[in-house]
Amino acid sequence: MRQRPLNDDGTLVRLEGIHKWFGDLHVLKGIDHKIHSEQVVVVIGPSGSGKSTLLRCINILEEPTQGSVIFNGQDITDIRTDLNKVRTQIGIVFQAYNLFPHKTAMENCMLALKKVLNMVDDEAQERAMTELKHVGLEQKADAYPSQLSGGQQQRVAIARALAMRPQLMLFDEVTSALDPELVKEVLDTMKRLADEGMTMVVVTHEMGFAREVGTHLLFMDDGKIVEEGEPREVFERPQDERTQSFLSHVL
Amino acid sequence: MAVATAEPARPPDVRGPTAPLPLSIFALGIAALVVVAGGLLAVQIAYAVNGAPELTEHCLVNGLTENQTGSLGVCHIVEAFRSSALTVVLLVGMAVGAVAVVAGFSINARMPTRRQREHAIAGGVLGIQAIVLGVLLFWFRAGKVTIFSRSFLNIAVLEGYGDDFLTGAKNTLYLAFGGEVGGIILGLIFAVLTLSTRRVVRAPARAYINFFRGTPLIWQLVTFYFGVNLGLGLKLGTIQVGLIVFTLNTGAYAAEVFRAGIQSIERGQIEAARSLGMSYLQSMRYAIVPQAVRRVIPPLMNEFVILIKDTALIVALGQTLGQRDIFSVARQIYSSTFNATGFMAAAAGYLIVTLPLIRLVNMVERKLRSGLTGIVGQ
Ligand SMILES: Nc1ncnc2c1ncn2[C@@H]1O[C@H](COP(=O)(O)OP(=O)(O)OP(=O)(O)O)[C@@H](O)[C@H]1O
Ligand SMILES: [Mg+2]
């Protein structure tokens, strides 16, 4: 396997010239970016600009048409990579929760622990319970997803991803499907994670969260990173006129 | 004064009170149907019990002879059909039905409550059913009742075939259950294969499915039995060949059912499973298939009902006595007695199994539709 030297500057993920085509549709047009450990990278931009696609390229849920994703010094776009193993180290949370409806909150968290990490029942159960507590849902361990509110389902989804003890967490508009009064509990959970030092990439429309929790902000438009920097800085003094126009619409 | 109004336990009944007029029309409709159908039954029973002790003139003229098995019983059935008692019963029933129709449909729109209107309409509809049934019975007895009764309703010829029917039922159920279970296993495997992104995996799976869906089942049976089995000298018995072919055939249909079921599971489910590090097969096995299975239960049960009936096709293969299914037994009775009553018994046998199954499918479907899908754990 093509191994690259681990970066001593703390780079966890390096995106090198990522392009993505869906058929003739050019969605990502050359993305180069480094994500450092313990960074909370917030990605904003207009609908259809390629934010989700970029996020899904990081754990190769979408295979980049061109370019490399270097995770922990390993080129995971290399075809010889064991993606299943890599994915245990990259958690992702989706807008639609995607919990397994036929399994309880607890079983949702335990499934991959048992089948992928080969944990025995007791060990998996203990780990799952720890993570459910982490998101404040230990009392809902035996509930099925349909018996939980949207906010609770999303927190279970976060616990399920965390149970794998990933080095990186990806969030794709995880509060967009939630009723307004449920958004806060999920954002609070994410904020706590950030405080604990988790490396996160967060696609969001929540500008308050981006400003307060984000340590780095990417503004994407038309498949490119148009502007980036310290969130407050970008919010207060956007340089590119597309950023200015986008922010004037959402703020 | 303590006013404690208890919450009503059920929603209020807003259909309104009954009234004597529409209620009596409803009763009239029921009566009409009971007189026609029940009258037929009663007259038949009366003749079966008290009929003339020997063949009547009419029966003799129409080809029944003394030394035929069961000819007296058949004669009783025929005479009951021809009797003026039945004429009276049918006419009375139809007249009552006509009254219910006229009354029901003329007043229903003027009824003040929903319940009264429904009673009036139901009375009219039942009246129509009584009239239709009466007309059909008149039409039937205007035909060659003797020939029909002798061939299809001569229960006496079935005497002594009880054990054969039992063996037949056993074989039919064995073939149907075996074929279904085997087919479900095959179907699941081939469904996953047809969903592969690799054409080299997909193509042979599709070829198998399309071939078995595209050729007649009887062709598959005959070809496998006479061609493959005898041709290659495999020496498989009829039941074994039947089991193999029914499994292969059901497998092809079940594969399509499973494929549709799996494809109906939202894309996000497999993405969630894969992003947790599960392999494709693990994701299928633990996340997707358990959900799909619930959705495919009704169509698979329908396939099972179809298979139960299709097992009759092994009649086209060579059979020893112990290898006969229900239908083959009926056919055997036909060829040795020249009487088709065995087919009626076979139909009853199939219905005993299929009717409860059909009801069960409908119940399961209703349950799945009511939004309880995927809530209850496994
Ligand atoms: N699987 C796919 N096949 C074809 N086109 C796709 C696919 N996924 C995304 N696209 C297209 O790629 C473009 C970028 O989609 P993407 O979901 O990355 O945008 P986004 O920035 O996340 O938008 P939003 O804010 O609406 O979620 C869109 O035009 C979309 O229609
Ligand atoms: Mg998106």
Side-chain angles (χ1 to χ4, degrees):
Chain A
M1 226 172 277
R2 190 152 51 113
Q3 284 282 347
R4 304 191 178 207
L6 256 171
N7 293 283
D8 25 34
D9 62 347
T11 303
L12 182 61
V13 181
R14 203 162 69 240
L15 305 174
E16 292 180 347
I18 304 284
H19 284 263
K20 179 68 186 176
W21 273 269
F22 288 112
D24 290 336
L25 188 63
H26 198 179
V27 175
L28 295 180
K29 303 177 177 173
I31 305 282
D32 291 282
H33 190 72
K34 282 182 189 173
I35 298 165
H36 300 283
S37 279
E38 309 206 355
Q39 239 184 355
V40 178
V41 179
V42 179
V43 184
I44 62 171
S47 181
S49 56
K51 308 181 296 292
S52 298
T53 307
L54 176 63
L55 202 69
R56 293 155 61 84
C57 280
I58 297 177
N59 68 349
I60 323 290
L61 224 42
E62 301 287 0
E63 196 176 351
T65 317
Q66 208 179 74
S68 321
V69 179
I70 319 294
F71 179 75
N72 250 341
Q74 181 191 3
D75 181 356
I76 61 173
T77 36
D78 186 315
I79 190 142
R80 290 160 294 186
T81 311
D82 180 357
L83 276 180
N84 294 334
K85 200 161 168 198
V86 171
R87 286 189 181 126
T88 63
Q89 291 159 37
I90 306 177
I92 183 166
V93 184
F94 304 91
Q95 178 175 345
Y97 331 137
N98 297 350
L99 291 178
F100 306 129
H102 59 299
K103 295 193 175 293
T104 62
M106 181 69 130
E107 290 163 351
N108 262 277
C109 296
M110 286 168 60
L111 182 62
L113 295 180
K114 291 198 318 203
K115 302 305 173 192
V116 182
L117 303 186
N118 297 317
M119 286 189 181
V120 295
D121 249 2
D122 286 350
E123 197 184 355
Q125 206 160 349
E126 195 177 320
R127 170 86 68 93
M129 199 39 128
T130 309
E131 292 309 330
L132 284 174
K133 278 193 186 126
H134 201 158
V135 299
L137 284 175
E138 65 272 26
Q139 76 286 3
K140 294 290 184 187
D142 294 324
Y144 285 93
S146 58
Q147 298 165 324
L148 298 173
S149 75
Q152 290 170 333
Q153 289 187 56
Q154 197 57 293
R155 281 148 67 199
V156 173
I158 294 174
R160 177 174 72 179
L162 288 178
M164 303 300 286
R165 299 283 148 86
Q167 298 182 36
L168 172 69
M169 285 284 286
L170 310 173
F171 295 86
D172 190 3
E173 294 191 29
V174 295
T175 57
S176 297
L178 296 176
D179 291 337
E181 71 271 21
L182 300 177
V183 168
K184 188 172 176 302
E185 62 185 61
V186 174
L187 290 182
D188 285 349
T189 307
M190 290 164 65
K191 183 169 187 315
R192 193 137 37 84
L193 268 185
D195 292 343
E196 291 164 9
M198 176 62 80
T199 313
M200 299 164 50
V201 182
V202 183
V203 174
T204 188
H205 287 311
E206 298 287 336
M207 294 305 153
F209 180 88
R211 189 196 297 257
E212 278 159 40
V213 184
T215 60
H216 195 80
L217 184 132
L218 301 182
F219 174 75
M220 284 185 68
D221 191 22
D222 194 25
K224 293 195 210 75
I225 297 174
V226 173
E227 186 162 354
E228 62 177 300
E230 211 274 320
R232 276 165 214 279
E233 185 68 21
V234 178
F235 278 120
E236 267 144 45
R237 277 177 293 280
Q239 302 299 312
D240 194 282
E241 70 185 67
R242 281 169 291 181
T243 322
Q244 289 162 2
S245 140
F246 177 78
L247 289 177
S248 71
H249 281 104
V250 296
L251 288 181
Chain B
M1 206 171 76
V3 188
T5 35
E7 279 285 309
R10 306 157 146 272
D13 190 341
V14 294
R15 291 172 302 166
T18 57
L21 177 62
L23 200 59
S24 48
I25 293 174
F26 184 38
L28 223 51
I30 295 175
L33 202 53
V34 167
V35 168
V36 172
L40 170 67
L41 202 65
V43 172
Q44 285 291 352
I45 290 172
Y47 270 82
V49 177
N50 299 321
E54 46 199 68
L55 294 181
T56 60
E57 187 71 22
H58 180 269
C59 290
L60 288 169
V61 170
N62 281 279
L64 290 178
T65 55
E66 302 279 353
N67 45 16
Q68 276 173 340
T69 6
S71 58
L72 188 60
V74 172
C75 187
H76 288 157
I77 294 174
V78 173
E79 288 301 335
F81 270 122
R82 297 177 62 230
S83 67
S84 40
L86 187 64
T87 314
V88 172
V89 162
L90 292 184
L91 287 178
V92 168
M94 289 166 75
V96 173
V99 174
V101 171
V102 172
F105 289 122
S106 60
I107 68 160
N108 78 77
R110 280 179 281 133
M111 290 295 99
T113 71
R114 186 159 297 278
R115 193 191 301 266
Q116 290 167 26
R117 175 184 297 187
E118 289 307 321
H119 278 158
I121 292 175
V125 171
L126 288 170
I128 292 177
Q129 291 167 4
I131 294 170
V132 169
L133 188 58
V135 167
L136 287 177
L137 285 170
F138 272 117
W139 184 40
F140 173 73
R141 72 181 204 166
K144 299 200 168 7
V145 179
T146 317
I147 294 177
F148 178 84
S149 305
R150 187 183 58 199
S151 315
F152 285 91
L153 301 176
N154 189 356
I155 295 161
V157 300
L158 299 182
E159 220 185 298
Y161 287 104
D163 286 348
D164 291 299
F165 270 114
L166 223 58
T167 312
K170 221 182 64 203
N171 282 333
T172 295
L173 288 176
Y174 174 76
L175 286 172
F177 270 113
E180 185 68 19
V181 171
I184 283 174
I185 295 168
L186 266 190
L188 198 49
I189 294 169
F190 277 90
V192 172
L193 293 184
T194 59
L195 289 170
S196 170
T197 51
R198 300 193 176 92
R199 181 174 291 187
V200 289
V201 176
R202 240 170 26 226
R206 278 251 65 97
Y208 154 69
I209 293 170
N210 292 347
F211 180 79
F212 277 91
R213 293 204 333 151
T215 50
L217 180 51
I218 191 154
W219 182 91
Q220 294 161 18
L221 280 166
V222 169
T223 307
F224 197 90
Y225 185 75
F226 294 106
V228 181
N229 184 34
L230 301 185
L232 298 184
L234 295 182
K235 299 205 180 79
L236 296 175
T238 296
I239 297 291
Q240 286 161 307
V241 169
L243 198 59
I244 291 169
V245 174
F246 291 136
T247 294
L248 288 169
N249 187 272
T250 305
Y253 283 96
E256 291 289 65
V257 169
F258 276 119
R259 184 187 53 75
I262 288 171
Q263 283 179 330
S264 77
I265 306 294
E266 307 68 52
R267 210 187 145 65
Q269 290 290 313
I270 188 133
E271 290 183 348
R274 293 306 304 273
S275 65
L276 287 165
M278 286 197 257
S279 68
Y280 175 75
L281 283 180
Q282 283 179 323
S283 307
M284 278 291 163
R285 168 139 180 238
Y286 300 113
I288 308 302
V289 170
Q291 295 181 57
V293 160
R294 291 191 175 89
R295 297 190 192 179
V296 302
I297 285 173
L300 283 181
M301 284 170 75
N302 279 327
E303 287 296 331
F304 184 47
V305 172
I306 293 172
L307 180 58
I308 291 173
K309 297 173 295 176
D310 281 353
T311 53
L313 291 172
I314 66 158
V315 76
L317 312 184
Q319 286 160 313
T320 64
L321 289 182
Q323 290 172 340
R324 289 172 304 171
D325 71 318
I326 296 189
F327 187 76
S328 315
V329 170
R331 206 187 63 147
Q332 195 105 39
I333 295 174
Y334 180 74
S335 50
S336 51
T337 64
F338 298 107
N339 193 289
T341 307
F343 290 118
M344 301 303 256
Y350 285 113
L351 286 172
I352 287 172
V353 184
T354 53
L355 286 186
L357 263 174
I358 290 168
R359 267 194 72 99
L360 191 65
V361 180
N362 291 340
M363 260 167 54
V364 172
E365 266 183 336
R366 237 192 338 270
K367 197 153 199 164
L368 289 176
R369 243 203 325 274
S370 70
L372 289 169
T373 343
I375 290 181
V376 188
Q378 48 196 6

